[in-house]
Amino acid sequence: MLQEAYLSVWRRAASFDAARGSAMTWLITLTRNRAVDRLRAGRKVITTTIDLADMVADERPLASTVMETSEDQARLAYCVGTLEKGDAVLIRTAFFEGSTYAELATRAATPLGTIKSRIRRALVKLRDCLA
Amino acid sequence: MSIDDPLRDEDELLAAELAFGLLDIADRSAAEARLENDARFAAAHRRWQSYAATMATGRDEAPRPSIWQGIEARLPANDTKPVTANRSSVRWWQASTFAAVAAAVVLAVVGLQRSPLPAPMVAQVQPAAPLVAVLTGASDKGIVTVSYDPASGRLTSAPIGIDVAGHSAELWVIPAGQSPRSLGVIAAGAPGWTRAPATAAPALAVGATLAISVEPIGGSPTGAPTGPVILTGKVTTV
């Protein structure tokens, strides 16, 4: 899957439009979308249970050894840290595991409406913090 | 953060939901259709995409080295089967490899000769376009693809088949007619990224030469290459 994504980068590099965002955003978005497309094409959906009551903030350090933390990352990390317990995990899970609202609701055994309003509240908070 | 009037909250949220992949198929299709003809909505979507991507770069998950061997085997230039992918992409790959090999040969034969004046990137392109270089050498030395995003200062390297056993691979930028400036040690077994050092970043421009030398662990102790140069390539735009 990762190979597919990198190959697709090679093939589509010419379609990259610098005016529309940084190379890194383009690369990551393309990689993520390929991964999710692949999951869906194979009718695979990640269904691992999400335990909202048991969630802790993601304590993983943001910077790896070969990468410095940029200002953007530091700021985003700070803002993500201000979210309610579990909200950041839900948002990340959506992005990294390709789970929609409906799938998150099932995985967390929580009503769809609750999940939706919870994530939307977190997104607004994130935007206000980053603005 | 936005230069335009703020979107209605509902639209801002929709842009975020689309960027994070929260919408089901019907809602997603409708939102994607709006990207085409609603510039402000599209701008909000790009902003959220960049947040999502920034969250992604925090994850410390390097691909296994075998991934790169798999990619290498599957790149169009190595295909033994008829190529079904579109032709232009094949030419693009072959052309860039050829250009890099040609640059390496020229460099080896005549040394650092004066190259055509590098284009003043900043003045020409708004925002500055990402730069790339494919570094090649002897066939058994592998390939390293380097990209640089002047907007963020981020330098990424993707090595394939590099083996510097017991040593470090150090990346250098060599502006025409000047001495090499270090861009730091790169990971030899996996893709990685770093911030271009302020001393070397201004030298990253179209036409500059990149080189990788084999150095003691941790990089050159002198600030200049001390070991053999195994790969070189010229900086071009994407």
Side-chain angles (χ1 to χ4, degrees):
Chain A
M1 193 152 73
L2 195 54
Q3 283 182 18
E4 289 285 344
Y6 283 116
L7 281 167
S8 132
V9 168
W10 271 115
R11 293 184 176 135
R12 292 177 53 187
S15 72
F16 173 72
D17 181 352
R20 305 187 71 186
S22 80
M24 191 57 75
T25 299
W26 178 78
L27 193 69
I28 288 166
T29 307
L30 185 66
T31 306
R32 183 265 175 199
N33 290 348
R34 281 297 289 241
V36 172
D37 287 351
R38 192 46 118 58
L39 274 177
R40 300 219 175 274
R43 299 193 181 285
K44 282 184 206 139
V45 174
I46 298 176
T47 54
T48 325
T49 311
I50 302 172
D51 189 348
L52 289 175
D54 198 31
M55 274 182 178
V56 290
D58 193 343
E59 301 288 0
R60 254 196 260 206
L62 267 175
S64 77
T65 50
V66 291
M67 184 187 73
E68 286 178 26
T69 307
S70 72
E71 243 172 73
D72 289 352
Q73 283 166 333
R75 183 153 186 198
L76 188 67
Y78 166 77
C79 290
V80 169
T82 66
L83 299 180
E84 268 173 57
K85 181 180 167 186
D87 286 357
V89 184
L90 280 174
I91 292 174
R92 279 196 172 146
T93 305
F95 187 68
F96 289 110
E97 300 181 11
S99 292
T100 60
Y101 276 135
E103 286 155 9
L104 288 174
T106 308
R107 292 177 62 179
T110 303
L112 179 58
T114 310
I115 284 286
K116 234 177 179 168
S117 56
R118 186 170 174 166
I119 291 180
R120 294 186 129 215
R121 205 168 51 235
L123 289 172
V124 169
K125 206 170 165 187
L126 205 54
R127 188 215 38 199
D128 291 347
C129 175
L130 288 162
Chain B
M1 189 154 290
S2 170
I3 48 168
D4 295 312
D5 298 332
L7 282 173
R8 289 192 301 121
D9 274 0
E10 200 54 34
D11 288 345
E12 174 78 18
L13 273 172
L14 185 65
E17 289 169 334
L18 180 61
F20 279 99
L22 288 158
L23 302 173
D24 63 28
I25 290 174
D27 289 346
R28 194 180 74 194
S29 305
E32 281 172 348
R34 272 191 67 182
L35 290 175
E36 298 300 320
N37 42 33
D38 184 339
R40 281 197 301 167
F41 180 69
H45 177 247
R46 281 198 298 278
R47 178 158 40 79
W48 281 103
Q49 270 190 324
S50 97
Y51 296 157
T54 305
M55 282 169 90
T57 55
R59 315 288 284 197
D60 192 4
E61 288 165 9
R64 298 182 309 279
S66 62
I67 292 276
W68 295 101
Q69 284 148 23
I71 290 175
E72 189 181 20
R74 292 176 55 192
L75 278 169
N78 296 324
D79 278 358
T80 50
K81 290 173 293 187
V83 177
T84 51
N86 81 53
R87 284 269 149 198
S88 67
S89 66
V90 175
R91 278 199 297 273
W92 182 84
W93 158 253
Q94 289 170 337
S96 61
T97 305
F98 175 76
V101 171
V105 170
V106 168
L107 192 79
V109 175
V110 299
L112 295 172
Q113 66 172 11
R114 198 174 304 150
S115 62
L117 283 176
M121 291 296 299
V122 178
Q124 276 188 342
V125 187
Q126 279 285 343
L131 303 173
V132 293
V134 180
L135 278 62
T136 57
S139 61
D140 62 341
K141 298 295 186 192
I143 294 177
V144 173
T145 307
V146 174
S147 65
Y148 176 62
D149 177 15
S152 66
R154 207 170 269 169
L155 189 75
T156 64
S157 57
I160 301 168
I162 302 302
D163 183 10
V164 289
H167 294 79
S168 285
E170 188 158 358
L171 181 63
W172 307 85
V173 56
I174 311 168
Q178 297 178 37
S179 47
R181 299 180 202 175
S182 177
L183 289 166
V185 168
I186 66 160
W193 49 84
T194 184
R195 188 156 296 272
T199 48
L204 285 165
V206 172
T209 298
L210 294 188
I212 286 180
S213 69
V214 179
E215 301 292 339
I217 297 290
S220 164
T222 67
T226 60
V229 170
I230 53 171
L231 303 172
T232 59
K234 279 240 190 267
V235 177
T236 63
T237 48
V238 170

